[in-house]
Amino acid sequence: MQPTILVTGANGQLGSVLIPALRGRYGSERVIASDIRSVPNYRGRFELIDATDADRLTQVVREQNVTQIYHLAAILSASGEQQPIRTWNINMSAFLNVLEVSRQEGIDKVFYPSSIAVFGEGAELDHTPNDSVLDPLTSYGISKAAGENWAQYYFAKYGLDVRSIRYPGVIGHQSDPGGGTTDYAVEIFHAAVQGKPFSCFLQADERLPMIFMDDAIRATLELMEAPKENIRIRTSYNLAGASFSPEEVTAAIRQYYPDFDVSYVPDYRQEIAAKWPNSIDDSAARGDWGWQPEYDLKKMAKTMIEALQKRYNRETPLLGNNQFAA
Ligand code: SER
């Protein structure tokens, strides 16, 4: 039987692209987008949901006969540091609501996005293993690490089929990121294609794990469709795409725009990034459910630049509105 899927945070960077992918796969009528903000003239099923409101979540799940939830709504790392306690409260209460409503209403599967932000000083910086010590140093990272443990708890205690990926920074042209430490790596492409200089808030050599949007979406669908017995990690899976630093992505962009002007003015986000991995060991995802990324930096740069050139020529619209989602 086809699932009926509810996506929270559907207007965010990832949700805006995941929704069309899910609709393509399962049928438009089977996928309900939800967000704390509505979008004027939204095409398709949409419900206004603040995921911190458990009653509203329950109401939609019941009324729409939801069988799967993809819970993307969260405040990200950089914006989270402006209001750490509020970030913890919102991120945790929203996810605990999703878990509890899922248990009570007999939801079949839950997707929970975790992040490279769960890692801190205790983890190796290079090829960070899946089972590293998690000692995150942002409110967002603390909430994601705690959420991973709650995911495992609901699986172990109630058999709730919660599946999770630790996303690297997601690089896409279809939607804009908001409030993340890895956002520079999207913004830099926009500047280059518009012929503007770029001021980078990270150091030139601050290498971080990144992934191209198409790979991130495909990983999500592959994880959620994998046989249940293959999902041996019930906290969250490390996922690798391509790791690079600002100077490396700049070099890739200069293959197309040789005069692209980049300066470096590191701010508080540099301190966040410095504690995150340089690269990720995703052998568990590869072994358990066959993960294989398709985009390296070169392919990512080519695809981003070609797509953004079309966007700025007004051939393609921007998806979503962002601010409040993973
Ligand atoms: N891209 C996210 C951030 O920078 C990491 O999960 O906050």
Side-chain angles (χ1 to χ4, degrees):
M1 206 186 79
Q2 287 287 71
T4 300
I5 298 173
L6 174 67
V7 180
T8 71
N11 294 340
Q13 184 199 12
L14 200 62
S16 307
V17 190
L18 183 63
I19 291 278
L22 289 170
R23 288 185 171 153
R25 200 161 191 102
Y26 301 111
S28 295
E29 68 291 352
R30 315 241 37 134
V31 180
I32 305 156
S34 79
D35 203 279
I36 197 165
R37 290 182 201 88
S38 57
V39 177
N41 307 318
Y42 187 86
R43 289 163 67 111
R45 295 179 73 179
F46 182 89
E47 296 286 341
L48 204 58
I49 297 180
D50 175 348
T52 64
D53 179 350
D55 292 342
R56 174 69 182 139
L57 204 53
T58 303
Q59 182 193 18
V60 173
V61 166
R62 281 192 192 159
E63 285 178 1
Q64 313 286 337
N65 298 315
V66 171
T67 62
Q68 296 188 10
I69 301 180
Y70 286 63
H71 173 55
L72 305 185
I75 299 177
L76 296 196
S77 62
S79 19
E81 290 311 281
Q82 312 309 316
Q83 290 182 293
I85 301 299
R86 179 170 174 269
T87 299
W88 164 264
N89 285 336
I90 289 178
N91 288 357
M92 288 320 299
S93 68
F95 185 44
L96 289 174
N97 283 344
V98 167
L99 289 174
E100 195 52 10
V101 170
S102 298
R103 179 184 73 79
Q104 287 166 353
E105 302 300 320
I107 291 290
D108 294 334
K109 280 186 207 172
V110 175
F111 177 72
Y112 175 62
S114 187
S115 161
I116 52 168
V118 296
F119 299 113
E121 285 174 332
E124 288 166 46
L125 281 174
D126 293 304
H127 306 293
T128 308
N130 215 107
D131 59 357
S132 303
V133 170
L134 303 186
D135 56 353
L137 285 156
T138 58
S139 175
Y140 169 73
I142 295 171
S143 71
K144 284 295 178 191
E148 289 187 7
N149 286 318
W150 278 109
Q152 178 166 256
Y153 179 92
Y154 268 74
F155 175 72
K157 190 158 173 131
Y158 305 117
L160 182 64
D161 189 357
V162 193
R163 305 180 181 195
S164 176
I165 282 171
R166 291 175 182 149
Y167 289 117
V170 179
I171 312 299
H173 52 81
Q174 303 95 325
S175 56
D176 290 340
T181 302
T182 55
D183 293 9
Y184 93 85
V186 177
E187 292 161 4
I188 195 168
F189 283 102
H190 286 258
V193 172
Q194 292 179 91
K196 294 180 181 167
F198 184 69
S199 171
C200 184
F201 59 71
L202 298 186
Q203 270 171 216
D205 62 351
E206 182 53 61
R207 182 172 294 132
L208 289 172
M210 302 286 185
I211 191 167
F212 191 58
M213 179 67 85
D214 298 35
D215 274 344
I217 298 289
R218 187 169 52 80
T220 309
L221 299 178
E222 287 178 3
L223 170 72
M224 291 300 277
E225 289 188 349
K228 195 171 173 182
E229 61 275 13
N230 288 22
I231 311 302
R232 293 186 304 155
I233 295 179
R234 287 293 176 170
T235 49
S236 192
Y237 280 96
N238 278 7
L239 191 76
S243 293
F244 57 79
S245 63
E247 62 194 354
E248 287 166 335
V249 68
T250 299
I253 292 171
R254 283 192 182 139
Q255 298 295 313
Y256 300 83
Y257 299 99
D259 300 328
F260 183 38
D261 177 11
V262 178
S263 54
Y264 296 92
V265 187
D267 66 16
Y268 70 100
R269 288 168 282 192
Q270 170 56 36
E271 283 164 40
I272 297 176
K275 303 291 192 294
W276 289 359
N278 299 331
S279 61
I280 291 290
D281 174 355
D282 64 354
S283 48
R286 288 170 189 256
D288 287 1
W289 43 278
W291 170 242
Q292 199 69 53
E294 282 177 7
Y295 285 80
D296 59 13
L297 174 57
K298 200 172 160 199
K299 192 171 171 191
M300 210 184 275
K302 181 173 191 288
T303 313
M304 282 296 284
I305 288 168
E306 287 173 358
L308 290 177
Q309 284 170 341
K310 283 192 189 157
R311 162 101 73 85
Y312 287 108
N313 288 333
R314 300 186 186 285
E315 289 169 39
T316 48
L318 174 69
L319 300 176
N321 70 358
N322 207 353
Q323 302 277 333
F324 208 68

